[in-house]
Amino acid sequence: MTVLIQGLTAGWIARCLGLQTTQVRTVIVGNTPLSQLLARLLQQQGETVVLIDLNASDANAVQLDDIPVISKYLDLEELEAEGIASLSTFLALTNNPELNGILAQRALELFRPDRVATLSQPPLNRGDHPSFAATGINVAFAAQVSLNRWNQALTQNDVELIEVVLQADGFAAQQAELQDCIAAGDLLPLLLNRADQLQIMLANEPWQTGDRITFLLDKASVSKIPTLSQSHSTLLPLPDQALSEPVLLQTT
């Protein structure tokens, strides 16, 4: 935690001194199959993405295409060089809900990015604990998400990637059907493309006609969602995101 926070602060100092060479738009903490998929999808759309892997070590460094993946052991100069302080979206996706909340709060305090998000807020032990809404942290994807379930499904190739365009005709019915499937855990909304602006989907994001939403779909649930067989739904190629070893930024 100390190294990570110092590294993020160093990036802010580098920005103030004009030392940065890379403009990173999206930072994702947590090197999981879902995180890797998101990074590749964003990169395909021209976004600059960095993954931070809290568990990686120099002993098992592997390159994830050309997406930098930073370990907690990476020194601060390399972290500064990634231009993290220029980020517009910070997403905490580790398997530890409490850690996600701490990291999201720290990123919000240091950089004030446009969007700071993590998974659903963990159960609170004290009534005076601030809610995500009160701190400016958003809930990513949907109100309740089983990270382990979707990571396992990705590893086992039990998912499909679908893009749905929300239509003006029958918008209410289409939205209700899709959101029912999200609540049931059959669909996971990942990305929202609105007026050619791509962003991580937030649970409280109001949907609009013309929105293009990228969903992760449980293959076993295809027949439950009639909308997906209609003309406004497109099956997307699923990037090969599975890696057996943790990854680390390769440096010279």
Side-chain angles (χ1 to χ4, degrees):
M1 281 296 299
T2 301
V3 173
L4 178 62
I5 292 172
Q6 285 179 336
L8 293 175
T9 307
W12 177 82
I13 294 172
R15 178 178 62 176
C16 292
L17 296 177
L19 300 177
Q20 293 178 242
T21 59
T22 304
Q23 297 298 305
V24 174
R25 288 188 52 80
T26 302
V27 171
I28 303 174
V29 182
N31 180 30
T32 66
L34 182 59
S35 299
Q36 293 181 21
L37 173 64
L38 278 169
R40 284 189 167 96
L41 291 174
L42 288 165
Q43 187 191 55
Q44 287 174 359
Q45 298 298 317
E47 294 287 325
T48 306
V49 184
V50 162
L51 288 173
I52 295 180
D53 184 353
L54 302 182
N55 299 311
S57 68
D58 295 326
N60 49 26
V62 178
Q63 183 69 18
L64 178 62
D65 295 338
D66 54 351
I67 300 172
V69 181
I70 301 174
S71 143
K72 66 179 179 180
Y73 301 111
L74 199 64
D75 68 50
L76 299 185
E77 290 183 0
E78 291 173 305
L79 191 57
E80 290 173 14
E82 289 306 314
I84 282 181
S86 64
L87 67 96
S88 63
T89 299
F90 181 94
L91 180 61
L93 281 184
T94 77
N95 291 311
N96 185 326
E98 295 291 347
L99 178 58
N100 287 337
I102 292 170
L103 295 175
Q105 181 63 42
R106 189 61 175 155
L108 186 66
E109 293 170 353
L110 289 174
F111 312 122
R112 298 291 176 183
D114 296 333
R115 290 189 166 208
V116 175
T118 182
L119 298 181
S120 54
Q121 183 164 334
L124 304 180
N125 296 322
R126 303 191 310 272
D128 59 350
H129 194 293
S131 66
F132 276 8
T135 60
I137 300 172
N138 297 285
V139 175
F141 312 136
Q144 297 294 328
V145 176
S146 173
L147 185 61
N148 288 337
R149 179 261 178 106
W150 288 105
N151 281 330
Q152 182 177 7
L154 277 163
T155 301
Q156 297 175 349
N157 197 29
D158 288 336
V159 296
E160 291 181 339
L161 203 62
I162 302 289
E163 182 184 79
V164 176
V165 181
L166 301 182
Q167 306 292 305
D169 294 337
F171 171 78
Q174 184 187 24
Q175 179 177 233
E177 176 190 322
L178 292 171
Q179 290 185 343
D180 284 346
C181 292
I182 292 170
D186 299 321
L187 277 177
L188 182 65
L190 298 178
L191 299 174
L192 169 64
N193 190 323
R194 176 176 294 162
D196 293 326
Q197 297 294 317
L198 189 68
Q199 58 195 38
I200 299 291
M201 190 56 144
L202 302 180
N204 62 350
E205 185 76 47
W207 293 9
Q208 301 177 11
T209 58
D211 284 350
R212 308 178 74 90
I213 303 176
T214 301
F215 291 96
L216 201 57
L217 168 69
D218 184 337
K219 284 183 178 180
S221 304
V222 173
S223 61
K224 302 178 185 178
I225 314 173
T227 293
L228 300 183
S229 64
Q230 299 173 14
S231 60
H232 47 257
S233 172
T234 304
L235 182 65
L236 301 177
L238 187 66
D240 178 17
Q241 84 297 331
L243 290 177
S244 59
E245 298 290 342
V247 288
L248 186 73
L249 178 66
Q250 296 290 318
T251 60
T252 56

